[in-house]
Amino acid sequence: MKLRRLHVAGALIILAWLASLGWLVRREYFGRTPGEVSASARVAPGAVFFAIYLGGQQIGTGATTVDTLADSVRISGRADVLLPDGNAGRRIRTTTEVRLGPSLALTSFQSIVAGDAPGVSVLARRADGGLNIRLRWPGLGEVTRSARASALPHLAVPVRAVADGPLEEGRRIEYAIIDPLSGAVRPMAYIIGSQVSFVVPDSAVLDSGSGLWIPAHMDTVPAWSLESEDGSLESRMWIDQQGFIVRAEMPNGWTIIRTAFEIAQLNLRAGRPHRSRSSRPLVYTGRGSAPPVVGSDTAAAPLIPSDSQAIVALVSRLAPDSLPPEARARALFDHVARRIVPGEGAPDAVSALREGRGSATSRALLLAALARAAGIPARSVSGARFASGEWRPDVWVALHLGEWIDVDPVRRAWPADSLRFPFRIDGSGHPLEVLAPTARLLRPRIPESSGRTP
């Protein structure tokens, strides 16, 4: 009798163990919605380090860490750079943290820029089926906007690209990308290229003769390129099968290359940075094809408040619907060019309108906001303008009137005068956007442009 009771007890224990094991498997790999947790389960944790280059010279260091948590994936990024600015330099640090849920949808994102430049922060959190994006600029205060729930920061693109499907040549992927300096959200499409192999250091040793850290062991890493579909300066990167960057050419002009921690960090701290032969200068090649009009070109954004009551009221007065689109656009352009005088301060379109003065960036943002409020596709553009024999950072506006045309309300130029090289659409003019790519530009060898968007 006692033996039978032991058998029954043992059987019950085994059944309970199997039930709990089945529940655990279901929770981990299926969850409440089948497939949700399995997406995050495919993400590989790890950390990689980078040397950051400008024109072949190392200007900083970076790192990306991916942690797989019980109910989310955390991606952390950091970069420390010294950017050229005339005869001086600016030390700027960026820190980023991304949280992805079980299905790898964004749950939160925080980006902070600090150092010798305006301190900017962007915070995005999931709320009410979408995202709330909060932007902070010194002197601007806090601006909050809603965005689509599918939006992602650039840092999360490699992880999502790997988890969303195989890395196959020719595959097209598209994400709505959150800009870490303006809070704007724009669609961006990538085309996956063929597989290539990179040889990178995965450990380092101190060379007693030179006093430098040198590779101790090299690793061959297969990688696939992700290149912007429109061929613009937006981004080009090579990622491995785990979703880590091996090499990238970034929108802010950096080239980042994976290497060992000691080579990236300690050699630079010792004042003996490494040089890269693979960084190429930017060359102006004249007018190219501009990206097509998208929904965000007529939507309100944190720095382009086209839904502001003051902006809507001015549009109703200056550019009634009875006028043709170009006449409406010219009326708005003339108002900004003639009525808003030069000033200083944060990129603030509403303040520029209210006070009748503003920085070059504020006036460009104001014109973009007025145009969008009138239903005219418009973009603020951060880039460089060639004048007096050199490239200089600048901000202007692109309007779509049958085709994209550059206009410059600061210089009252319709179309915009001189050669222009765009770096960032819906930009803010922040030094992090414009200093590095401006320094990479070579002197052009062609006549000045007609002002059409290159």
Side-chain angles (χ1 to χ4, degrees):
M1 190 71 172
K2 184 180 293 186
L3 186 59
R4 287 184 180 178
R5 289 179 180 176
L6 289 175
H7 286 168
V8 171
L12 291 174
I13 291 172
I14 291 173
L15 287 174
W17 177 78
L18 289 173
S20 63
L21 181 62
W23 174 84
L24 181 63
V25 169
R26 177 178 176 81
R27 188 193 69 177
E28 290 297 319
Y29 293 96
F30 298 97
R32 295 181 180 178
T33 302
E36 282 195 342
V37 179
S38 60
S40 61
R42 293 196 297 270
V43 176
V48 291
F49 303 94
F50 306 100
I52 301 175
Y53 298 92
L54 176 64
Q57 178 68 43
Q58 186 180 355
I59 61 168
T61 62
T64 300
T65 303
V66 177
D67 296 312
T68 52
L69 309 177
D71 59 349
S72 63
V73 174
R74 180 176 60 204
I75 309 173
S76 304
R78 173 171 170 168
D80 294 270
V81 294
L82 176 63
L83 297 181
D85 188 7
N87 296 324
R90 297 199 189 203
R91 294 191 178 276
I92 301 178
R93 170 178 295 174
T94 66
T95 55
T96 306
E97 181 171 302
V98 180
R99 288 289 186 110
L100 305 177
S103 64
L104 298 184
L106 182 68
T107 58
S108 68
F109 161 60
Q110 180 171 303
S111 172
I112 298 174
V113 177
D116 301 331
V120 180
S121 69
V122 173
L123 176 65
R125 291 193 182 279
R126 184 171 293 277
D128 300 326
L131 291 175
N132 282 340
I133 297 180
R134 187 173 68 196
L135 171 69
R136 290 178 178 171
W137 262 79
L140 177 65
E142 183 174 296
V143 180
T144 302
R145 292 279 170 180
S146 60
R148 67 187 78 173
S150 59
L152 286 174
H154 200 271
L155 187 65
V157 168
V159 169
R160 279 291 302 270
V162 171
D164 288 349
L167 295 174
E168 295 178 343
E169 183 177 0
R171 177 181 152 219
R172 182 182 185 273
I173 54 178
E174 182 175 343
Y175 302 110
I177 302 297
I178 305 172
D179 189 285
L181 291 171
S182 69
V185 177
R186 297 192 65 85
M188 186 169 177
Y190 299 89
I191 302 298
I192 298 177
S194 59
Q195 178 182 331
V196 295
S197 293
F198 287 86
V199 179
V200 300
D202 69 355
S203 59
V205 63
L206 183 63
D207 179 60
S208 58
S210 64
L212 295 176
W213 289 89
I214 60 175
H217 182 266
M218 306 296 288
D219 190 18
T220 300
V221 180
W224 293 258
S225 64
L226 272 62
E227 187 163 3
S228 175
E229 185 179 48
D230 58 31
S232 68
L233 190 66
E234 288 290 344
S235 179
R236 187 184 184 195
M237 69 184 89
W238 289 260
I239 64 174
D240 64 19
Q241 56 193 355
Q242 293 180 305
F244 288 100
I245 289 177
V246 182
R247 174 190 169 91
E249 298 166 0
M250 304 302 291
N252 48 20
W254 304 349
T255 297
I256 70 173
I257 299 177
R258 188 193 298 185
T259 187
F261 167 82
E262 296 86 353
I263 295 174
Q265 299 269 355
L266 302 185
N267 288 348
L268 185 62
R269 291 178 191 173
R272 304 175 70 180
H274 184 263
R275 291 191 63 86
S276 170
R277 299 178 181 178
S278 55
S279 295
R280 296 172 295 176
L282 295 177
V283 179
Y284 182 88
T285 57
R287 180 183 175 185
S289 59
V293 175
V294 295
S296 51
D297 292 323
T298 54
L303 291 181
I304 305 180
S306 55
D307 55 356
S308 162
Q309 291 184 355
I311 287 175
V312 172
L314 182 61
V315 169
S316 299
R317 180 167 61 87
L318 294 179
D321 292 340
S322 57
L323 295 177
E326 183 167 347
R328 302 177 75 208
R330 280 189 174 272
L332 300 174
F333 172 85
D334 288 341
H335 181 87
V336 176
R338 300 178 185 279
R339 298 292 184 90
I340 311 299
V341 300
E344 301 295 333
D348 191 337
V350 174
S351 292
L353 178 60
R354 182 177 61 247
E355 299 171 7
R357 68 174 57 246
S359 65
T361 300
S362 295
R363 285 176 280 173
L365 293 171
L366 174 58
L367 177 56
L370 290 168
R372 290 186 184 184
I376 300 169
R379 299 167 173 172
S380 65
V381 184
S382 293
R385 174 177 179 266
F386 187 77
S388 301
E390 64 178 337
W391 289 102
R392 297 177 181 176
D394 204 357
V395 179
W396 61 93
V397 179
L399 301 175
H400 195 272
L401 299 167
E403 64 176 334
W404 287 106
I405 177 173
D406 288 336
V407 298
D408 186 348
V410 174
R411 298 171 183 84
R412 302 184 182 182
W414 179 305
D417 57 336
S418 194
L419 297 174
R420 294 170 186 267
F421 199 116
F423 301 147
R424 184 79 63 96
I425 293 174
D426 281 357
S428 63
H430 192 280
L432 199 61
E433 287 180 350
V434 296
L435 289 182
T438 299
R440 290 176 58 201
L441 278 166
L442 293 180
R443 183 185 180 94
R445 299 180 180 178
I446 61 176
E448 292 194 350
S449 73
S450 63
R452 302 291 172 174
T453 303

